[in-house]
Amino acid sequence: MKSKKISIDFDWKKNVKLFGILSFYIFISIFSLFFLRKTGYIFRGDDLHFHIDRIENLAHLLKHHSLFSFITTYSYNNVGIAMDQFYPNLFIYPFAVLRLVIKNPVSAIYDGLMILNLMTCLVAHYSYMKFSGSTFKAFIFTNFYFFSTYRFIDMLTRFDLGELLAIAFVPLAFLGFYEVFLQM
């Protein structure tokens, strides 16, 4: 029996362009918070203490080999508040893991925000690319979306991690709406 040769078309130009775009997204994700990270301070945030206590509690749980908890046992004066039942921890796990790996808590928070920034870029680019079919339009949209004032206010002034995560997935939600209801 003859074997068929499998040929894979590797489009260098397209892959170099995608690598350049990904490199740019990584750069802006890091650079947007790099100088704040270097100060060693988290300057303000309306929900700052609340979310940092959640991250610290989850980091302590992971350190003591407990993946899940329905009560907050290591923060809020060790009272045992049932906060984790109402505020899910799924997206706090990356921050807690970074907190265990990086000893400086401020650096861990900023590194988590950098990862969230990169995720926002990737979701926005993918969503608009699927919507428009144009890499250039997706790149422009992603930059406008990434550098939107409200997103940075949400991240730096309010420190609302839940809303910041929701903002990261809004383009994907609109893409889903468009494909389900308008693309018949």
Side-chain angles (χ1 to χ4, degrees), residues 157-176:
T157 304
R158 295 184 55 221
F159 201 81
D160 190 350
L161 287 182
E163 193 170 321
L164 195 60
L165 283 161
I167 287 172
F169 291 104
V170 165
L172 195 61
F174 277 116
L175 175 67

Side-chain angles (χ1 to χ4, degrees), residues 17 20-32 117-129 134-152 155 167 171:
K17 183 174 23 171
I21 290 171
L22 179 62
S23 298
F24 180 74
Y25 291 159
I26 291 170
F27 174 76
I28 63 173
S29 297
I30 293 171
F31 191 73
S32 63
N117 279 344
L118 180 61
M119 185 179 70
T120 301
C121 285
L122 296 176
V123 168
H125 185 88
Y126 171 79
S127 301
Y128 207 82
M129 176 77 170
S134 168
T135 304
F136 179 73
K137 289 178 183 178
F139 181 75
I140 297 298
F141 169 76
T142 301
N143 280 292
F144 276 116
Y145 194 71
F146 178 83
F147 289 111
S148 69
T149 306
Y150 184 75
R151 205 180 75 75
F152 274 95
M155 182 173 26
I167 287 172

Side-chain angles (χ1 to χ4, degrees), residues 35-87:
F35 295 107
L36 290 174
R37 185 184 188 275
K38 293 295 265 182
T39 64
Y41 296 102
I42 300 176
F43 292 101
R44 68 178 294 213
D46 299 338
D47 293 344
L48 180 69
H49 292 289
F50 173 72
H51 289 297
I52 286 181
D53 282 343
R54 290 180 62 215
I55 292 167
E56 287 293 320
N57 183 66
L58 190 55
H60 281 290
L61 286 172
L62 292 174
K63 188 176 184 180
H64 297 296
H65 309 293
S66 177
L67 291 176
F68 303 105
S69 173
F70 295 107
I71 59 172
T72 304
T73 54
Y74 291 102
S75 55
Y76 302 108
N77 294 326
N78 300 331
V79 181
I81 299 173
M83 185 174 318
D84 294 340
Q85 294 178 354
F86 305 105
Y87 287 90

